[in-house]
Amino acid sequence: NSPAPYWASCVAIPIVTAPPPYDTLLTDFPMSALSDCPYLTVDIGTPFIRWCSDNYYHVSYCNEGTMIANQISIQVDLDSFLSLTNSNYPVIQQNGNTYTFAVDDLDIGECGNLRLDVELGCDTEIQGFTHCTQAHIFPDSICAPFNMDWDGSSIEVQGFCANDSVHFT
């Protein structure tokens, strides 16, 4: 598989055999660009959230596209029980618990990290909750050429189970 939808392998996929003791094997595959476009990915995670304590989220982002990505921003929606206390990039916009950060430009294959320090209050009523937080990266436009065979139509399917049968509408 190619690293992103804008890349294609220049060679047939070779069979790679790892000799014992099956440690680490590094193989490079030459790739060519199908389209000139950045392809940004973002991931957010935390090892744990403790109430009445300082916590952090780690946001990692990459440009897996075929050209440099400029004017990048990351929007993070924090759970309503969390409060942002610090970050390694300045907040450029805030709307409630939605924060937007401007991050550095990314070259092809380059990645970066955003650290968010958050606080979860000491209210005992919030113990045991799952705290939903998400991140989105911009620009998020699609540059790949569309399939010329596609006429633009879409099909919507709804289904339900009745006894031992599945019915689609």
Side-chain angles (χ1 to χ4, degrees), residues 73-140:
S73 65
I74 297 176
Q75 181 177 302
V76 176
D77 296 321
L78 289 179
D79 185 90
S80 61
F81 291 109
L82 299 173
S83 300
L84 180 68
T85 58
N86 195 23
S87 67
N88 62 328
Y89 282 95
V91 175
I92 60 169
Q93 184 176 354
Q94 179 184 357
N95 184 5
N97 259 23
T98 300
Y99 298 87
T100 304
F101 304 87
V103 297
D104 299 330
D105 294 346
L106 291 176
D107 205 351
I108 299 167
E110 189 177 13
C111 296
N113 295 294
L114 170 63
R115 181 185 165 111
L116 306 176
D117 295 330
V118 297
E119 184 179 76
L120 179 60
C122 297
D123 187 349
T124 57
E125 294 177 14
I126 60 176
Q127 289 182 354
F129 278 29
T130 298
H131 299 283
C132 298
T133 298
Q134 60 184 6
H136 190 94
I137 193 164
F138 298 94
D140 60 353

Side-chain angles (χ1 to χ4, degrees), residues 15-38:
I15 295 174
V16 178
T17 305
Y22 307 110
D23 185 14
T24 302
L25 182 66
L26 177 64
T27 303
D28 291 324
F29 297 96
M31 305 294 285
S32 65
L34 295 174
S35 178
D36 292 330
C37 187

